């Protein structure tokens, strides 16, 4: 006896896009299909490999979700996972939930941006209040230091930045 079980997040797309250009229509349909494939109990980076909830993906997937529906509970769930997994130094793990403690410092700031965008789009002050302690810890992290330019840079032992990983490899 053979059976197949499938579980999919009940994403009900209210938004739609159609135009005279078939390429743009295909791009929209592919984007919706991709979001559906990466929606489970939280956003996933992909449906076949790691199937992890990464902050960088959450930021993008949250933006796409807002174009499709007003139900942003999946975005809130994904953002909460990181607030719950926040490290004592205020940094967010790369992926949550996870047993690895690695962090990419810029992912922490992407999480702060995602929380801010969620508030701007929804006006959900209750959720903002819930996330605020984690935002404060993230911004107060001892990993940050101000450069001469006035911009923040990640400093200290073991501080890694995803945005610079290609440059770091090229420099070696």
């Amino acid at each position: 006896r053979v059976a197949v079980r499938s579980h999919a997040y009940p994403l009900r797309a209210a938004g739609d896009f159609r135009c005279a250009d078939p390429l743009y229509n295909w791009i929209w349909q592919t984007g919706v299909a991709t979001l559906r494939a990466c929606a489970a109990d939280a956003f996933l980076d992909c449906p076949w490999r790691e199937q992890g909830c990464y902050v960088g993906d959450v930021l993008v997937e949250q933006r796409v979700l807002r174009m499709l529906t007003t139900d942003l509970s999946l975005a809130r769930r994904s953002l909460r996972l990181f607030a719950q997994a926040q490290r004592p130094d205020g940094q967010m793990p790369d992926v949550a939930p996870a047993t690895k403690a690695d962090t990419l410092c810029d992912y922490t700031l992407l999480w702060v941006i995602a929380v801010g965008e969620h508030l701007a789009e929804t006006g959900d002050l209750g959720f903002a209040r819930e996330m605020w302690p984690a935002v404060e810890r993230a911004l107060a992290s001892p990993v940050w230091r101000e450069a001469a330019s006035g911009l923040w840079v990640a400093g200290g032992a073991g501080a890694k930045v995803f945005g610079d990983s290609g440059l770091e490899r090229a420099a070696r």
Side-chain angles (χ1 to χ4, degrees):
R1 193 172 152 194
V2 176
V4 175
R5 287 188 180 192
S6 177
H7 169 74
Y9 184 80
L11 178 63
R12 296 185 191 3
D16 196 15
F17 175 84
R18 294 177 204 274
C19 72
D21 189 325
L23 177 61
Y24 289 131
N25 293 331
W26 177 85
I27 291 169
W28 171 264
Q29 292 164 358
T30 302
V32 172
T34 301
L35 185 65
R36 282 186 196 284
C38 293
D41 60 338
F43 288 128
L44 304 177
D45 65 324
C46 68
W48 64 87
R49 197 176 47 119
E50 293 175 15
Q51 299 178 3
C53 184
Y54 284 85
V55 174
D57 297 311
V58 168
L59 180 64
V60 175
E61 289 165 327
Q62 173 180 259
R63 291 173 177 175
V64 175
L65 185 69
R66 286 194 320 253
M67 289 187 251
L68 292 176
T69 181
T70 57
D71 178 9
L72 302 180
S73 56
L74 185 61
R76 284 189 300 277
R77 164 101 168 110
S78 299
L79 293 169
R80 274 188 186 106
L81 285 175
F82 287 94
Q84 293 165 356
Q86 190 174 34
R87 294 179 0 170
D89 69 356
Q91 293 296 302
M92 299 294 172
D94 302 351
V95 59
T99 55
K100 69 180 210 141
D102 295 345
T103 183
L104 297 167
C105 301
D106 48 345
Y107 273 30
T108 298
L109 297 179
L110 290 179
W111 179 84
V112 172
I113 290 168
V115 169
E117 286 184 6
H118 185 81
L119 173 61
E121 287 291 324
T122 65
D124 186 346
L125 293 176
F127 182 73
R129 281 187 204 96
E130 179 187 342
M131 295 295 104
W132 185 247
V135 169
E136 284 185 312
R137 285 190 302 274
L139 297 179
S141 176
V143 169
W144 310 119
R145 63 178 176 77
E146 188 174 337
S149 64
L151 298 175
W152 279 6
V153 295
K160 295 180 184 174
V161 179
F162 181 76
D164 290 342
S165 61
L167 296 174
E168 185 180 309
R169 281 191 298 275
R172 286 188 214 153

